[in-house]
């Protein structure tokens, strides 16, 4: 055991030395600037349309152009080929409608594997194909329905000619009068903007000269702006946000987390605290407009009045490995600050060397929630608020469990268990990343059999005896973070005081544990059961007891393998279940001892504090 402890000590020292050598070069993770009314004034969104510029041949809806090519149908021998612009309708129900409104055929049309709006139907002449005949006049429509709306695109009219060799759809000739209807009101002007609100769904219908239509009933998505700073482009700002991705060709998505192909194939994505993606776009300082899709389609344009914005030199940085959670209502973090700006409430780390690193003691008062502590950054006459996103969790948990065990002797019994665990945010305020910060935890488990067990005692015949056990663990996380939130593998140092009848032993052991949120594939199945449709966290452990602390006592095949899961019905309250194998084997100096192999199933409830 002392070798294991020495290994951890050397490991921590080596990592601490490397971190010191990196200095402030490792501080590359930016703190975002708060986007409030003093920075950006967000005006009410508008539906901005233009059928006039192209003389009714196409519709401009914000930055999107709707034309005859937005939904196109072709016949290639025995294949019906449909292509469309997924910005208007991602995928949905394809239907063929005649001039009277009768639906001749309806089928689901999804995007292809590359995400393109391309769908093919082979065997259109067969029983599953459209019920049409020569001379029919019809339109193709693609519609996506949502809980509070829909979006739909339809082609212009087609005329159909059927022969033994092929079916040939032809565009019908003759222009249609272009029109726009917004909020059930037909607009006299074919170019304009209608201000809308986020309180109710917005209805829009446009018909271009060919007769093709675009229609939607959709709610406006609220903007969730997360950061603003000057852009590398002159007279532009760079804005980041979450949620609906702007319909801007230069908008880019910053992934929250990128999973490997194997993780995706196995369905092992995270289901708790999965980092959310961000979008980023550069907007002109003057006349800034941000087009975003609605919840069920459409385009809504937000006019933005940019009042002021931080400069690049105002940016604050934290260490690239900084944690996103804390157990405390007040915690500390190092911040890299430019020498040209003033940030009150920061403490210098090393005054003698004129370090640009400062220590920030921030508050995270809301437990089980994201907290957003702020720093005021002053640059001349302007000031801006930088903030940190940090989740505050609970360091401790207590639970009561009941296990049904089956021994190798074929007998069953019930075992009661009390469990208490606690994770330290740090050791005595030591902020070392590798050896202190959210690395260490302790736990205690007390087991008592509610009825006697058949145990092989002293190498002789089995006897009916009582069982009690006290197990104490100390744990080290290889990846720091919060329990019930962040994945980790870790090491265990364990002690167990065991009593089987009159035989007693005190043992020491070591092992490994693995903990993470329930993998997405399994989580999706369990969520079909209503009382399990809550966040779930799972862990497994293996402990090998290899040394008896009593003189003259030897330990045989003595280990525990445990699989355990929790369902969080509320942030404080959870249910739990598990299963595993426990093997006890020891011999005392006087020849007494015991041997017992068990398999168990466990149910319990607990409280986070």
């Amino acid at each position: 055991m002392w070798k294991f402890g020495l290994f951890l000590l050397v490991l921590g020292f080596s990592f601490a030395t490397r971190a010191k050598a990196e200095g402030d070069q490792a501080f590359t993770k930016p703190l975002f600037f708060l986007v409030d009314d003093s920075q950006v004034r967000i005006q009410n969104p508008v539906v901005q349309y233009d059928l006039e510029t192209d003389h009714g041949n196409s519709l401009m809806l914000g930055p999107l152009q709707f034309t005859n090519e937005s939904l196109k149908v072709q016949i290639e021998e025995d294949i019906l080929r449909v292509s469309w612009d997924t910005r208007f309708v991602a995928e949905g129900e394809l239907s063929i409608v005649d001039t009277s409104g009768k639906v001749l055929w309806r089928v689901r049309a999804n995007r292809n594997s590359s995400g393109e709006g391309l769908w093919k139907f082979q065997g259109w002449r067969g029983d599953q194909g459209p019920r049409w005949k020569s001379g029919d006049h019809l339109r193709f429509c693609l519609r996506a329905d949502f809980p509070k709306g829909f979006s739909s695109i339809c082609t212009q009219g087609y005329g159909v000619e059927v022969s033994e060799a092929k079916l040939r759809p032809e565009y019908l000739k003759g222009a249609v009068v272009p029109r726009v209807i917004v909020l059930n009101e037909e607009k006299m002007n074919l170019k304009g903007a209608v201000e809308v609100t986020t309180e109710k769904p917005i209805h829009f219908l446009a018909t271009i000269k060919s007769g093709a239509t675009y229609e939607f009933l959709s709610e406006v998505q609220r903007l969730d702006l997360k950061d603003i700073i000057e852009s590398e482009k002159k007279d532009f700002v760079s804005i980041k946000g979450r949620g609906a991705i702007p319909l801007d060709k230069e908008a880019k998505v910053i992934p929250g987390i990128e999973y490997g192909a194997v993780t995706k194939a196995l369905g092992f994505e995270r289901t708790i605290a999965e980092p959310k993606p961000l979008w980023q776009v550069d907007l002109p300082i003057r006349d800034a407009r941000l087009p975003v899709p609605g919840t069920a389609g459409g385009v809504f344009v937000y006019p933005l009045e940019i009042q002021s914005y931080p400069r690049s030199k105002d940016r604050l940085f934290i260490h690239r490995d900084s944690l996103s959670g804390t157990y405390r209502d007040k915690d500390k973090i190092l911040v890299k600050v430019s020498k040209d700006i003033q940030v009150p409430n920061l403490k210098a780390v090393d005054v003698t060397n004129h370090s640009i690193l400062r220590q920030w003691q921030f508050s995270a008062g809301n437990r089980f929630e994201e907290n957003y502590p702020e720093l005021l950054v002053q640059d001349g006459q302007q000031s801006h608020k930088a903030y940190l996103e940090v989740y505050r969790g609970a360091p401790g948990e207590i639970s009561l469990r009941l296990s049904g065990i089956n021994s190798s002797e074929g007998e069953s019994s019930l075992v009661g268990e009390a469990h208490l665990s606690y994770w330290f945010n740090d050791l005595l305020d030591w902020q070392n990343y590798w050896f202190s910060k959210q690395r260490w935890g302790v736990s205690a488990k007390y087991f008592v059999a509610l009825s006697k067990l058949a145990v092989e005692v002293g190498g002789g015949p089995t006897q009916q005896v009582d069982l009690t056990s006290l197990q104490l663990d100390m744990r080290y996380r290889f990846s720091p973070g919060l329990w019930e939130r962040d994945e980790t593998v870790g090491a265990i140092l364990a002690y167990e005081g065991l009593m089987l009848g009159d035989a007693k032993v005190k043992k020491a052991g070591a092992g490994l544990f693995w903990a993470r949120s329930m993998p997405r594939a399994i989580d999706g199945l369990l969520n079909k059961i209503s009382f399990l449709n809550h966040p779930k966290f799972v862990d497994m452990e293996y402990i090998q007891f290899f040394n008896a602390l009593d003189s003259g006592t030897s330990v045989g095949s003595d280990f525990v393998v445990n699989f355990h899961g929790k369902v969080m019905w509320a942030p404080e309250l959870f249910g739990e279940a598990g299963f595993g194998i426990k093997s006890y084997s020891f011999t005392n100096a006087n020849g007494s001892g015991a041997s017992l192999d068990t398999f168990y199933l466990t149910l319990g409830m607990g409280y986070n504090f």
Side-chain angles (χ1 to χ4, degrees):
M1 184 182 297
W2 67 268
K3 293 180 180 180
F4 182 75
L6 180 61
F7 167 75
L8 289 180
L9 185 63
V10 172
L11 182 67
F13 178 77
S14 64
F15 283 139
T17 302
R18 190 182 77 174
K20 185 175 181 180
E22 288 179 340
D24 58 41
Q25 300 302 313
F27 285 73
T28 57
K29 186 176 180 180
L31 290 181
F32 287 170
F33 283 104
L34 185 67
V35 184
D36 57 18
D37 287 342
S38 65
Q39 311 283 331
V40 178
R41 185 172 300 166
I42 303 173
Q43 299 181 1
N44 286 337
V46 298
V47 176
Q48 186 176 330
Y49 60 89
D50 182 3
L51 265 169
E52 185 178 272
T53 302
D54 195 27
H55 308 291
N57 292 307
S58 66
L59 164 71
M60 291 299 302
L61 191 65
L64 303 187
Q65 185 178 29
F66 176 76
T67 70
N68 269 340
E69 300 297 313
S70 298
L71 176 60
K72 190 175 180 180
V73 180
Q74 295 174 301
I75 297 293
E76 298 173 350
E77 296 183 354
D78 198 35
I79 297 175
L80 177 66
R81 185 180 187 274
V82 182
S83 59
W84 68 95
D85 188 336
T86 57
R87 296 176 299 174
F88 293 102
V89 177
E91 57 189 20
E93 186 179 72
L94 179 71
S95 58
I96 299 177
V97 183
D98 66 15
T99 54
S100 66
K102 180 181 178 181
V103 177
L104 304 180
W105 192 55
R106 183 181 286 121
V107 67
R108 178 74 187 182
N110 294 325
R111 290 170 292 183
N112 63 15
S113 58
S114 301
E116 301 170 321
L118 180 60
W119 177 84
K120 297 179 181 180
F121 180 82
Q122 188 166 9
W124 59 265
R125 295 186 180 89
D127 294 338
Q128 302 300 316
R131 303 271 68 85
W132 51 23
K133 59 184 183 299
S134 291
D136 280 347
H137 291 176
L138 49 85
R139 297 202 307 163
F140 294 83
C141 293
L142 182 66
R143 174 177 170 132
D145 286 294
F146 299 86
K148 293 184 178 181
F150 68 89
S151 55
S152 171
I153 50 179
C154 293
T155 66
Q156 70 175 76
Y158 280 85
V160 178
E161 294 182 12
V162 181
S163 67
E164 293 183 0
K166 62 182 179 179
L167 176 146
R168 185 175 71 252
E170 294 284 358
Y171 286 135
L172 294 176
K173 297 180 180 180
V176 176
V177 177
R179 60 190 304 211
V180 174
I181 299 175
V182 185
L183 297 174
N184 298 321
E185 179 184 348
E186 184 165 358
K187 298 299 178 181
M188 300 303 296
N189 295 322
L190 296 181
K191 180 178 181 180
V194 179
E195 185 176 313
V196 296
T197 69
T198 58
E199 305 301 325
K200 59 182 181 180
I202 309 302
H203 180 254
F204 176 90
L205 170 63
T207 304
I208 63 177
K209 187 177 290 186
S210 67
T213 61
Y214 177 47
E215 183 180 11
F216 65 80
L217 177 67
S218 179
E219 292 182 327
V220 184
Q221 300 199 64
R222 295 178 183 272
L223 289 185
D224 185 14
L225 304 184
K226 292 298 183 182
D227 182 45
I228 182 172
I229 199 165
E230 71 175 340
S231 170
E232 295 179 356
K233 295 181 181 179
K234 186 179 180 181
D235 298 327
F236 276 70
V237 293
S238 182
I239 292 180
K240 295 185 181 73
R242 287 201 178 111
I245 301 173
L247 296 167
D248 187 303
K249 61 182 180 181
E250 295 188 2
K252 60 181 180 180
V253 177
I254 305 170
I257 185 171
E258 296 186 87
Y259 295 107
V262 176
T263 300
K264 291 180 180 179
L266 295 176
F268 263 50
E269 298 94 332
R270 293 171 60 170
T271 52
I272 296 178
E274 184 177 38
K276 298 178 181 178
L278 290 164
W279 52 258
Q280 178 178 323
V281 66
D282 287 346
L283 296 176
I285 295 172
R286 294 184 178 181
D287 195 28
R289 293 178 173 272
L290 193 61
V292 297
T295 57
V299 181
F300 301 94
V301 179
Y302 279 93
L304 307 179
E305 291 184 14
I306 298 174
Q307 312 288 327
S308 65
Y309 54 91
R311 304 314 195 259
S312 296
K313 65 178 181 178
D314 298 331
R315 180 73 85 184
L316 307 181
F317 294 89
I318 57 178
H319 197 282
R320 60 172 175 253
D321 295 326
S322 292
L323 304 176
S324 60
T326 182
Y327 290 121
R328 291 182 172 177
D329 60 347
K330 293 186 182 297
D331 206 348
K332 297 176 181 178
I333 194 171
L334 290 180
V335 181
K336 182 179 177 180
V337 181
S338 171
K339 297 178 181 179
D340 299 327
I341 62 174
Q342 298 295 321
V343 185
N345 303 323
L346 293 185
K347 179 181 177 181
V349 176
D350 188 350
V351 178
T352 57
N353 291 331
H354 303 288
S355 172
I356 59 176
L357 298 181
R358 302 286 186 269
Q359 188 179 78
W360 178 20
Q361 181 170 316
F362 61 86
S363 297
N366 299 320
R367 181 179 284 192
F368 304 117
E369 293 181 16
E370 291 284 355
N371 291 262
Y372 302 92
E374 299 174 0
L375 281 173
L376 189 65
V377 180
Q378 297 175 337
D379 181 13
Q381 298 298 317
Q382 290 192 346
S383 61
H384 309 279
K385 295 177 182 178
Y387 68 95
L388 176 70
E389 291 188 60
V390 59
Y391 180 88
R392 183 181 168 198
E397 67 177 62
I398 186 170
S399 63
L400 295 176
R401 303 167 178 171
L402 183 65
S403 298
I405 68 172
N406 187 55
S407 71
S408 55
E409 303 299 325
E411 296 194 11
S412 300
S413 179
L414 293 177
V415 173
E417 176 187 348
H419 170 248
L420 175 67
S421 70
Y422 193 89
W423 289 92
F424 298 98
N425 197 66
D426 49 57
L427 301 179
L428 300 176
D429 207 32
W430 186 25
Q431 300 298 304
N432 182 275
Y433 172 81
W434 297 103
F435 213 61
S436 176
K437 197 73 174 182
Q438 294 177 19
R439 294 284 184 171
W440 297 96
V442 293
S443 72
K445 299 176 184 177
Y446 181 74
F447 304 87
V448 58
L450 303 182
S451 61
K452 294 183 181 295
L453 294 171
V455 177
E456 183 181 320
V457 178
T462 60
Q463 300 179 19
Q464 297 291 325
V465 300
D466 294 319
L467 179 149
T468 60
S469 169
L470 174 63
Q471 184 176 316
L472 304 175
D473 297 340
M474 180 171 66
R475 302 184 176 221
Y476 174 82
R477 295 176 60 115
F478 294 155
S479 300
L482 302 184
W483 190 251
E484 292 185 354
R485 190 168 174 88
D486 301 310
E487 181 176 2
T488 189
V489 174
I492 303 173
L493 289 177
Y495 161 85
E496 183 179 26
L498 175 67
M499 179 182 294
L500 283 170
D502 295 328
K504 303 178 182 179
V505 64
K506 298 176 182 178
K507 305 173 292 180
L512 296 171
F513 71 94
W514 177 36
R516 57 155 297 157
S517 59
M518 181 70 77
R520 188 176 302 281
I522 304 174
D523 189 66
L525 295 176
L526 295 178
N527 284 344
K528 298 181 183 300
I529 305 173
S530 59
F531 74 91
L532 295 180
N533 189 15
H534 297 273
K536 292 173 278 292
F537 196 78
V538 294
D539 64 279
M540 61 176 294
E541 64 184 23
Y542 168 75
I543 301 175
Q544 177 70 55
F545 292 96
F546 50 80
N547 187 33
L549 302 181
D550 303 311
S551 177
T553 299
S554 61
V555 175
S557 177
D558 201 308
F559 65 90
V560 57
V561 178
N562 183 50
F563 299 87
H564 173 252
K566 304 168 65 174
V567 54
M568 273 73 81
W569 294 318
E572 300 89 352
L573 182 66
F574 62 86
E576 54 187 343
F579 65 95
I581 299 171
K582 287 184 179 179
S583 180
Y584 305 100
S585 179
F586 63 94
T587 304
N588 295 323
N590 59 8
S592 64
S595 178
L596 175 66
D597 296 319
T598 65
F599 173 81
Y600 62 89
L601 297 172
T602 300
L603 293 174
M605 290 184 63
Y607 183 81
N608 291 320
F609 63 91

